[in-house]
Amino acid sequence: MAKNYYITTPIYYPSAKPHMGHAYSSIIADFFARFKRIQGYNVFYLTGTDEHGQKIERAAKENNKDTLLFCNEISQIFKDLTKKLNLSNNDFIRTTEDRHKKSATNIWNILEKKGEIYLSKYSGWYSVSDEAFYSEDEIEDIDGKKQSISSGSPVEWVEEESYFFKLSKWQESLLKFYSENENFILPISRKNEVISFVKSGLKDLSVSRKSFKWGIPVPSNSDHVMYVWLDALTNYLSALNYPNENDKLYKDFWPADLHIIGKDILRFHAVYWPAFLLAAGIKPPKRVYGHGWILSGDQKMSKSKGNILDPLQIIQTYGLDPLRYYLIKEVSFGNDGNISEEKLENCINSDLANNYGNLCQRVISFCEKNANLKISESINFTDNDKSILSIYEKKFDEILKFIDKQDINSYINFIVTQLFAANKYFNDEAPWKKKSDELRLNTIIYTSLELIRKVTILLYPIIPATSLKVLKSFGIEEKDLKFETIIDHNYIKKGSKIKKIGILFKKI
Ligand code: MSP
């Protein structure tokens, strides 16, 4: 029976112009979703839009639009983006949907019933842009304007009646949870950050707002709407039809295996979210991975900073797979990464056109000219052939470990090394010099094609459209794609005919 795997991206604050940071979180999650599927898992990959709160309410007003109509329009832009990024998501959730309101209301009721929520008064700093409360020592004064030290977003003073969640009560349980689940937060550097934040003392968290209306009403007091983060985080449950705990989706997929998020929203996912869940008696997710930021110059790329590289424009100019490859390969996963069109062009030329594209082109053209694209029935591997083919077998468990530790950097390094190795094999074996020895000629062609097939399977989660094109030319369809076949040396059917492929990546 297939094992289940639940992976999520953050649900996005819809904005008219999605940027590269948004594309990045989604592409990374898609990478894991696709890998897990070819590993044989039954994967549920969720994304969507986070539509409540003061930020959205204000944005709708600025655009002179009814708030829900505004959300409908811009949520659609993010839904369209999932297609443009070739994401394999199984669902797209909107927090304005009834299924979500039902689930968030249920969580609230449980927390209130268990005495985890109480009414009091909040006075302190709030950033509408981050939808976050900040304490005095988390803000600074720049030219007379108060702003958050971590995000640089402006903060405003808020004083209003508010419900509070007893976060302080969960401090010790959280620390215990982190130590019992040592890989709950990755990478390790971020885990340490979170632990020291929790150890420094947690204060109760304001979880409702009274001064505006755009949110899910607090069930017991409709003067209040729920704090947008309590509302938003619950989306991960709503998509599984929570509160129906007998629902197949909920039973199969909760607790989530992996929340992919950016480091700016780590505290919400690694502190508040497990605390809400522990308090509600629901199992916390298994892992939260906080990736770094896409930078432009030395600054986080964001709408408010106006330094956005438009993913749609990049896709139009260079194509989607080059962008996916570039983001996954060149931004060291877990760290911040500075991206530019120049670096993207270099990456396309060196890795995709020269290394991978050229390998496929050369071998397939050679097979066309010398074997009429026909795979010979008789193949006789030398020890050298067997040794290069069996690298995949030797690395099989390690590759799975890379995936399970979210070590994308090692995964892609392995691919790049194998691309060089396959190119070198073809050069060194020089089949053009062996035309008189048909058996050897055919064996070199076959070995090279098998090497291409193996590496292409590993490339599939990164550049799915291109990989499928190559695999289809060997008669392999997406539905038959299995990671475990990388250890097979005789997978491409003997006696079959492969198909010619056009140029995969044009040099720039
Ligand atoms: N709505 C919240 C998430 C709620 S999840 C229950 C939110 N939305 S967001 O649209 O602002 O950000 C969505 C994701 O994009 C976050 O993971 C964030 O870290 C990521 N990025 C936004 N800008 C980014 C970069 N410049 N670089 C990389 N990712 C960053 O937060």
Side-chain angles (χ1 to χ4, degrees), residues 83-106:
K83 303 280 172 294
K84 293 185 177 133
L85 297 176
N86 194 9
L87 304 183
S88 60
N89 55 302
N90 299 79
D91 197 352
F92 184 97
I93 193 156
R94 298 182 55 189
T95 54
T96 46
E97 287 176 82
D98 284 344
R99 58 173 172 161
H100 172 70
K101 290 183 192 161
K102 191 170 148 195
S103 144
T105 304
N106 195 73

PDB file of all heavy atoms in Angstrom, residues 83-106:
ATOM      1  N   LYS A  83      -0.390  27.162 -12.640  1.00  0.00           N
ATOM      2  CA  LYS A  83      -0.299  26.545 -13.981  1.00  0.00           C
ATOM      3  C   LYS A  83       0.990  27.011 -14.662  1.00  0.00           C
ATOM      4  O   LYS A  83       1.707  26.220 -15.269  1.00  0.00           O
ATOM      5  CB  LYS A  83      -1.487  26.939 -14.855  1.00  0.00           C
ATOM      6  CG  LYS A  83      -2.840  26.571 -14.251  1.00  0.00           C
ATOM      7  CD  LYS A  83      -3.158  25.090 -14.472  1.00  0.00           C
ATOM      8  CE  LYS A  83      -4.393  24.631 -13.722  1.00  0.00           C
ATOM      9  NZ  LYS A  83      -4.324  24.629 -12.258  1.00  0.00           N
ATOM     10  N   LYS A  84       1.253  28.310 -14.533  1.00  0.00           N
ATOM     11  CA  LYS A  84       2.438  28.838 -15.231  1.00  0.00           C
ATOM     12  C   LYS A  84       3.729  28.263 -14.666  1.00  0.00           C
ATOM     13  O   LYS A  84       4.740  28.201 -15.362  1.00  0.00           O
ATOM     14  CB  LYS A  84       2.437  30.359 -15.164  1.00  0.00           C
ATOM     15  CG  LYS A  84       1.282  30.904 -15.986  1.00  0.00           C
ATOM     16  CD  LYS A  84       1.247  32.396 -16.085  1.00  0.00           C
ATOM     17  CE  LYS A  84       0.089  32.802 -16.988  1.00  0.00           C
ATOM     18  NZ  LYS A  84      -0.717  33.875 -16.419  1.00  0.00           N
ATOM     19  N   LEU A  85       3.706  27.869 -13.397  1.00  0.00           N
ATOM     20  CA  LEU A  85       4.918  27.277 -12.797  1.00  0.00           C
ATOM     21  C   LEU A  85       4.912  25.753 -12.925  1.00  0.00           C
ATOM     22  O   LEU A  85       5.803  25.088 -12.423  1.00  0.00           O
ATOM     23  CB  LEU A  85       5.020  27.662 -11.321  1.00  0.00           C
ATOM     24  CG  LEU A  85       5.173  29.160 -11.011  1.00  0.00           C
ATOM     25  CD1 LEU A  85       5.162  29.394  -9.506  1.00  0.00           C
ATOM     26  CD2 LEU A  85       6.466  29.721 -11.610  1.00  0.00           C
ATOM     27  N   ASN A  86       3.855  25.219 -13.575  1.00  0.00           N
ATOM     28  CA  ASN A  86       3.714  23.770 -13.741  1.00  0.00           C
ATOM     29  C   ASN A  86       3.744  23.059 -12.387  1.00  0.00           C
ATOM     30  O   ASN A  86       4.415  22.041 -12.209  1.00  0.00           O
ATOM     31  CB  ASN A  86       4.816  23.235 -14.671  1.00  0.00           C
ATOM     32  CG  ASN A  86       4.530  21.811 -15.151  1.00  0.00           C
ATOM     33  OD1 ASN A  86       3.453  21.280 -14.935  1.00  0.00           O
ATOM     34  ND2 ASN A  86       5.520  21.204 -15.796  1.00  0.00           N
ATOM     35  N   LEU A  87       3.006  23.632 -11.431  1.00  0.00           N
ATOM     36  CA  LEU A  87       2.952  23.016 -10.099  1.00  0.00           C
ATOM     37  C   LEU A  87       1.997  21.828 -10.145  1.00  0.00           C
ATOM     38  O   LEU A  87       0.991  21.856 -10.854  1.00  0.00           O
ATOM     39  CB  LEU A  87       2.452  24.015  -9.050  1.00  0.00           C
ATOM     40  CG  LEU A  87       3.227  25.321  -8.919  1.00  0.00           C
ATOM     41  CD1 LEU A  87       2.646  26.166  -7.785  1.00  0.00           C
ATOM     42  CD2 LEU A  87       4.711  25.064  -8.661  1.00  0.00           C
ATOM     43  N   SER A  88       2.320  20.826  -9.345  1.00  0.00           N
ATOM     44  CA  SER A  88       1.495  19.616  -9.366  1.00  0.00           C
ATOM     45  C   SER A  88       0.602  19.586  -8.130  1.00  0.00           C
ATOM     46  O   SER A  88       0.359  18.524  -7.564  1.00  0.00           O
ATOM     47  CB  SER A  88       2.394  18.387  -9.418  1.00  0.00           C
ATOM     48  OG  SER A  88       3.232  18.373  -8.269  1.00  0.00           O
ATOM     49  N   ASN A  89       0.143  20.779  -7.699  1.00  0.00           N
ATOM     50  CA  ASN A  89      -0.660  20.817  -6.466  1.00  0.00           C
ATOM     51  C   ASN A  89      -1.981  20.062  -6.640  1.00  0.00           C
ATOM     52  O   ASN A  89      -2.573  20.084  -7.701  1.00  0.00           O
ATOM     53  CB  ASN A  89      -0.908  22.261  -6.016  1.00  0.00           C
ATOM     54  CG  ASN A  89      -1.532  23.119  -7.082  1.00  0.00           C
ATOM     55  OD1 ASN A  89      -0.978  23.258  -8.156  1.00  0.00           O
ATOM     56  ND2 ASN A  89      -2.694  23.667  -6.801  1.00  0.00           N
ATOM     57  N   ASN A  90      -2.418  19.442  -5.533  1.00  0.00           N
ATOM     58  CA  ASN A  90      -3.672  18.679  -5.574  1.00  0.00           C
ATOM     59  C   ASN A  90      -4.865  19.533  -5.207  1.00  0.00           C
ATOM     60  O   ASN A  90      -6.007  19.129  -5.410  1.00  0.00           O
ATOM     61  CB  ASN A  90      -3.599  17.509  -4.587  1.00  0.00           C
ATOM     62  CG  ASN A  90      -2.481  16.576  -4.930  1.00  0.00           C
ATOM     63  OD1 ASN A  90      -1.319  16.837  -4.626  1.00  0.00           O
ATOM     64  ND2 ASN A  90      -2.793  15.508  -5.619  1.00  0.00           N
ATOM     65  N   ASP A  91      -4.613  20.676  -4.595  1.00  0.00           N
ATOM     66  CA  ASP A  91      -5.727  21.532  -4.173  1.00  0.00           C
ATOM     67  C   ASP A  91      -5.197  22.956  -4.095  1.00  0.00           C
ATOM     68  O   ASP A  91      -3.972  23.182  -3.997  1.00  0.00           O
ATOM     69  CB  ASP A  91      -6.221  21.066  -2.783  1.00  0.00           C
ATOM     70  CG  ASP A  91      -7.611  21.604  -2.451  1.00  0.00           C
ATOM     71  OD1 ASP A  91      -8.138  22.446  -3.212  1.00  0.00           O
ATOM     72  OD2 ASP A  91      -8.171  21.179  -1.424  1.00  0.00           O
ATOM     73  N   PHE A  92      -6.127  23.885  -4.178  1.00  0.00           N
ATOM     74  CA  PHE A  92      -5.782  25.304  -4.019  1.00  0.00           C
ATOM     75  C   PHE A  92      -6.828  25.853  -3.065  1.00  0.00           C
ATOM     76  O   PHE A  92      -8.003  25.926  -3.400  1.00  0.00           O
ATOM     77  CB  PHE A  92      -5.856  26.010  -5.380  1.00  0.00           C
ATOM     78  CG  PHE A  92      -5.426  27.445  -5.336  1.00  0.00           C
ATOM     79  CD1 PHE A  92      -4.125  27.819  -5.685  1.00  0.00           C
ATOM     80  CD2 PHE A  92      -6.318  28.448  -4.938  1.00  0.00           C
ATOM     81  CE1 PHE A  92      -3.723  29.149  -5.639  1.00  0.00           C
ATOM     82  CE2 PHE A  92      -5.915  29.780  -4.891  1.00  0.00           C
ATOM     83  CZ  PHE A  92      -4.620  30.123  -5.248  1.00  0.00           C
ATOM     84  N   ILE A  93      -6.403  26.195  -1.857  1.00  0.00           N
ATOM     85  CA  ILE A  93      -7.393  26.607  -0.858  1.00  0.00           C
ATOM     86  C   ILE A  93      -7.431  28.125  -0.728  1.00  0.00           C
ATOM     87  O   ILE A  93      -6.401  28.790  -0.859  1.00  0.00           O
ATOM     88  CB  ILE A  93      -7.130  25.937   0.515  1.00  0.00           C
ATOM     89  CG1 ILE A  93      -8.345  26.145   1.423  1.00  0.00           C
ATOM     90  CG2 ILE A  93      -5.841  26.434   1.171  1.00  0.00           C
ATOM     91  CD1 ILE A  93      -8.480  25.129   2.516  1.00  0.00           C
ATOM     92  N   ARG A  94      -8.628  28.645  -0.495  1.00  0.00           N
ATOM     93  CA  ARG A  94      -8.778  30.090  -0.222  1.00  0.00           C
ATOM     94  C   ARG A  94      -9.387  30.220   1.165  1.00  0.00           C
ATOM     95  O   ARG A  94     -10.349  29.512   1.486  1.00  0.00           O
ATOM     96  CB  ARG A  94      -9.705  30.716  -1.265  1.00  0.00           C
ATOM     97  CG  ARG A  94      -9.197  30.621  -2.681  1.00  0.00           C
ATOM     98  CD  ARG A  94     -10.157  31.311  -3.641  1.00  0.00           C
ATOM     99  NE  ARG A  94     -10.403  32.692  -3.229  1.00  0.00           N
ATOM    100  CZ  ARG A  94     -11.322  33.484  -3.771  1.00  0.00           C
ATOM    101  NH1 ARG A  94     -12.087  33.042  -4.746  1.00  0.00           N
ATOM    102  NH2 ARG A  94     -11.487  34.719  -3.343  1.00  0.00           N
ATOM    103  N   THR A  95      -8.836  31.131   1.955  1.00  0.00           N
ATOM    104  CA  THR A  95      -9.350  31.222   3.334  1.00  0.00           C
ATOM    105  C   THR A  95     -10.730  31.872   3.384  1.00  0.00           C
ATOM    106  O   THR A  95     -11.350  31.904   4.438  1.00  0.00           O
ATOM    107  CB  THR A  95      -8.367  31.978   4.246  1.00  0.00           C
ATOM    108  OG1 THR A  95      -8.076  33.235   3.650  1.00  0.00           O
ATOM    109  CG2 THR A  95      -7.095  31.200   4.476  1.00  0.00           C
ATOM    110  N   THR A  96     -11.191  32.408   2.242  1.00  0.00           N
ATOM    111  CA  THR A  96     -12.557  32.943   2.220  1.00  0.00           C
ATOM    112  C   THR A  96     -13.588  31.854   1.884  1.00  0.00           C
ATOM    113  O   THR A  96     -14.784  32.142   1.817  1.00  0.00           O
ATOM    114  CB  THR A  96     -12.656  34.085   1.185  1.00  0.00           C
ATOM    115  OG1 THR A  96     -12.017  33.664  -0.013  1.00  0.00           O
ATOM    116  CG2 THR A  96     -12.000  35.353   1.688  1.00  0.00           C
ATOM    117  N   GLU A  97     -13.139  30.627   1.687  1.00  0.00           N
ATOM    118  CA  GLU A  97     -14.084  29.543   1.382  1.00  0.00           C
ATOM    119  C   GLU A  97     -14.754  29.049   2.667  1.00  0.00           C
ATOM    120  O   GLU A  97     -14.140  29.061   3.740  1.00  0.00           O
ATOM    121  CB  GLU A  97     -13.321  28.356   0.766  1.00  0.00           C
ATOM    122  CG  GLU A  97     -12.858  28.595  -0.659  1.00  0.00           C
ATOM    123  CD  GLU A  97     -12.027  27.411  -1.148  1.00  0.00           C
ATOM    124  OE1 GLU A  97     -12.608  26.414  -1.574  1.00  0.00           O
ATOM    125  OE2 GLU A  97     -10.791  27.494  -1.074  1.00  0.00           O
ATOM    126  N   ASP A  98     -15.990  28.553   2.498  1.00  0.00           N
ATOM    127  CA  ASP A  98     -16.735  28.066   3.667  1.00  0.00           C
ATOM    128  C   ASP A  98     -16.025  26.908   4.371  1.00  0.00           C
ATOM    129  O   ASP A  98     -16.028  26.810   5.586  1.00  0.00           O
ATOM    130  CB  ASP A  98     -18.140  27.601   3.252  1.00  0.00           C
ATOM    131  CG  ASP A  98     -19.033  28.807   3.016  1.00  0.00           C
ATOM    132  OD1 ASP A  98     -18.659  29.918   3.459  1.00  0.00           O
ATOM    133  OD2 ASP A  98     -20.073  28.634   2.342  1.00  0.00           O
ATOM    134  N   ARG A  99     -15.424  26.007   3.579  1.00  0.00           N
ATOM    135  CA  ARG A  99     -14.771  24.838   4.201  1.00  0.00           C
ATOM    136  C   ARG A  99     -13.683  25.302   5.173  1.00  0.00           C
ATOM    137  O   ARG A  99     -13.464  24.700   6.218  1.00  0.00           O
ATOM    138  CB  ARG A  99     -14.183  23.891   3.152  1.00  0.00           C
ATOM    139  CG  ARG A  99     -13.164  24.527   2.240  1.00  0.00           C
ATOM    140  CD  ARG A  99     -12.484  23.491   1.341  1.00  0.00           C
ATOM    141  NE  ARG A  99     -11.643  24.129   0.336  1.00  0.00           N
ATOM    142  CZ  ARG A  99     -10.686  23.518  -0.317  1.00  0.00           C
ATOM    143  NH1 ARG A  99     -10.431  22.246  -0.086  1.00  0.00           N
ATOM    144  NH2 ARG A  99      -9.973  24.164  -1.223  1.00  0.00           N
ATOM    145  N   HIS A 100     -13.022  26.401   4.820  1.00  0.00           N
ATOM    146  CA  HIS A 100     -11.969  26.896   5.710  1.00  0.00           C
ATOM    147  C   HIS A 100     -12.555  27.604   6.929  1.00  0.00           C
ATOM    148  O   HIS A 100     -12.073  27.430   8.057  1.00  0.00           O
ATOM    149  CB  HIS A 100     -11.016  27.830   4.962  1.00  0.00           C
ATOM    150  CG  HIS A 100     -10.046  28.493   5.888  1.00  0.00           C
ATOM    151  ND1 HIS A 100      -9.027  27.806   6.508  1.00  0.00           N
ATOM    152  CD2 HIS A 100      -9.991  29.761   6.377  1.00  0.00           C
ATOM    153  CE1 HIS A 100      -8.364  28.615   7.312  1.00  0.00           C
ATOM    154  NE2 HIS A 100      -8.938  29.811   7.257  1.00  0.00           N
ATOM    155  N   LYS A 101     -13.600  28.407   6.695  1.00  0.00           N
ATOM    156  CA  LYS A 101     -14.206  29.133   7.828  1.00  0.00           C
ATOM    157  C   LYS A 101     -14.709  28.137   8.874  1.00  0.00           C
ATOM    158  O   LYS A 101     -14.548  28.343  10.075  1.00  0.00           O
ATOM    159  CB  LYS A 101     -15.369  29.997   7.332  1.00  0.00           C
ATOM    160  CG  LYS A 101     -14.899  31.178   6.488  1.00  0.00           C
ATOM    161  CD  LYS A 101     -16.076  32.033   6.077  1.00  0.00           C
ATOM    162  CE  LYS A 101     -15.659  33.022   5.024  1.00  0.00           C
ATOM    163  NZ  LYS A 101     -16.789  33.564   4.276  1.00  0.00           N
ATOM    164  N   LYS A 102     -15.279  27.045   8.374  1.00  0.00           N
ATOM    165  CA  LYS A 102     -15.807  26.016   9.272  1.00  0.00           C
ATOM    166  C   LYS A 102     -14.678  25.421  10.124  1.00  0.00           C
ATOM    167  O   LYS A 102     -14.801  25.253  11.338  1.00  0.00           O
ATOM    168  CB  LYS A 102     -16.421  24.922   8.386  1.00  0.00           C
ATOM    169  CG  LYS A 102     -17.249  23.907   9.099  1.00  0.00           C
ATOM    170  CD  LYS A 102     -17.962  23.062   8.045  1.00  0.00           C
ATOM    171  CE  LYS A 102     -18.151  21.654   8.538  1.00  0.00           C
ATOM    172  NZ  LYS A 102     -18.494  20.714   7.490  1.00  0.00           N
ATOM    173  N   SER A 103     -13.566  25.167   9.477  1.00  0.00           N
ATOM    174  CA  SER A 103     -12.449  24.529  10.174  1.00  0.00           C
ATOM    175  C   SER A 103     -11.796  25.487  11.185  1.00  0.00           C
ATOM    176  O   SER A 103     -11.528  25.114  12.334  1.00  0.00           O
ATOM    177  CB  SER A 103     -11.494  24.003   9.106  1.00  0.00           C
ATOM    178  OG  SER A 103     -10.170  24.109   9.446  1.00  0.00           O
ATOM    179  N   ALA A 104     -11.603  26.749  10.783  1.00  0.00           N
ATOM    180  CA  ALA A 104     -10.985  27.725  11.700  1.00  0.00           C
ATOM    181  C   ALA A 104     -11.907  27.984  12.894  1.00  0.00           C
ATOM    182  O   ALA A 104     -11.444  28.087  14.042  1.00  0.00           O
ATOM    183  CB  ALA A 104     -10.680  29.017  10.951  1.00  0.00           C
ATOM    184  N   THR A 105     -13.212  28.055  12.607  1.00  0.00           N
ATOM    185  CA  THR A 105     -14.171  28.293  13.703  1.00  0.00           C
ATOM    186  C   THR A 105     -14.122  27.126  14.690  1.00  0.00           C
ATOM    187  O   THR A 105     -14.177  27.311  15.903  1.00  0.00           O
ATOM    188  CB  THR A 105     -15.604  28.429  13.109  1.00  0.00           C
ATOM    189  OG1 THR A 105     -15.569  29.464  12.135  1.00  0.00           O
ATOM    190  CG2 THR A 105     -16.627  28.754  14.173  1.00  0.00           C
ATOM    191  N   ASN A 106     -13.974  25.932  14.157  1.00  0.00           N
ATOM    192  CA  ASN A 106     -13.918  24.758  15.023  1.00  0.00           C
ATOM    193  C   ASN A 106     -12.685  24.789  15.943  1.00  0.00           C
ATOM    194  O   ASN A 106     -12.781  24.504  17.138  1.00  0.00           O
ATOM    195  CB  ASN A 106     -13.914  23.497  14.170  1.00  0.00           C
ATOM    196  CG  ASN A 106     -14.231  22.276  14.990  1.00  0.00           C
ATOM    197  OD1 ASN A 106     -15.366  22.089  15.384  1.00  0.00           O
ATOM    198  ND2 ASN A 106     -13.216  21.478  15.281  1.00  0.00           N
TER     199      ASN A 106
END
